Amino acid sequence: MKQHHYLLEDLRAAEDAVVTLENAGIPPRQIHVFHNDHLAMQKRNMNDASFISELDILHAGERGLLVGLFAAGLVAFIIWELMAGHEVVAMVSVFAGLVAMGFCTWLGGMIGASSDNYRIQPYHDHIAKGGSVIIVDVNLGKELFVLDTMATIHPEALHKGLSSSIDNPVAGSFFLRKRAEW
């Protein structure tokens, strides 16, 4: 499944685009709207993006896990060499490696909790100025249909990108953008 990113100038335009997409047969759970006024989105019964979608917790946690795997191997090797010949060396090495991996994963998640999701980082300034971003999860068979529908009915919606709906820990910038309250 691919995700198409659309920039719209305000919440009213985003609401119109969401209604168009829903009428075209896209389920509401596949339409994610990012805007700085969550209360206005709730009043309009729009599918407001969840905090998991807004924050980079999962993505940064996955990066932390990758770093943690390397750190776990390094810590386990060092302890194995330092405690060579001791009868509990294997158990201590495995435990220390698991602690190192868990800490790195936790730290990555905490860093991600204070950062924008890597998919919406490029649109941070647009959202902060009152604009809206719609990310539509599209099955491969409906991709051209959605592109044509949005281009025909909402030419003001700028198609700004394409991404995968599966998190890729190496995608995005390695310098996370600090999340500011919109």
Side-chain angles (χ1 to χ4, degrees):
M1 195 175 286
K2 290 186 178 179
Q3 294 183 328
H4 290 271
H5 305 214
Y6 290 97
L7 291 176
L8 293 127
E9 69 177 71
D10 59 8
L11 194 55
R12 175 167 283 144
E15 183 180 22
D16 293 341
V18 166
V19 169
T20 300
L21 289 168
E22 287 176 356
N23 290 338
I26 304 298
R29 69 180 182 280
Q30 291 181 337
I31 304 169
H32 312 282
V33 182
F34 298 91
H35 186 72
N36 61 1
D37 191 356
H38 297 285
L39 185 60
M41 290 179 61
Q42 288 177 355
K43 288 180 182 178
R44 294 171 186 245
N45 295 321
M46 294 179 68
N47 186 16
D48 190 10
S50 67
F51 76 96
I52 293 290
S53 299
E54 287 182 357
L55 302 177
D56 207 33
I57 297 171
L58 297 176
H59 180 252
E62 290 169 352
R63 284 184 175 178
L65 177 64
L66 292 177
V67 171
L69 289 172
F70 174 75
L74 184 64
V75 166
F77 176 74
I78 290 172
I79 289 178
W80 184 273
E81 290 297 319
L82 289 176
M83 293 181 64
H86 202 278
E87 54 193 45
V88 293
V89 67
M91 184 172 49
V92 171
S93 295
V94 169
F95 179 74
L98 289 174
V99 168
M101 184 176 61
F103 177 75
C104 290
T105 304
W106 172 80
L107 184 61
M110 289 295 108
I111 291 170
S114 66
S115 305
D116 285 335
N117 189 312
Y118 75 102
R119 288 185 180 103
I120 63 168
Q121 274 182 358
Y123 316 121
H124 178 86
D125 293 335
H126 178 73
I127 295 170
K129 292 177 185 174
S132 298
V133 175
I134 296 177
I135 296 181
V136 185
D137 296 334
V138 182
N139 295 328
L140 295 177
K142 287 191 171 185
E143 193 169 357
L144 291 176
F145 173 72
V146 169
L147 287 170
D148 289 341
T149 302
M150 288 297 287
T152 304
I153 299 175
H154 294 286
E156 76 279 2
L158 298 174
H159 187 266
K160 292 300 274 188
L162 189 64
S163 64
S164 173
S165 61
I166 299 171
D167 274 345
N168 181 357
V170 295
S173 172
F174 279 95
F175 300 104
L176 299 177
R177 182 172 189 151
K178 199 77 164 154
R179 182 176 192 273
E181 286 299 317
W182 293 323

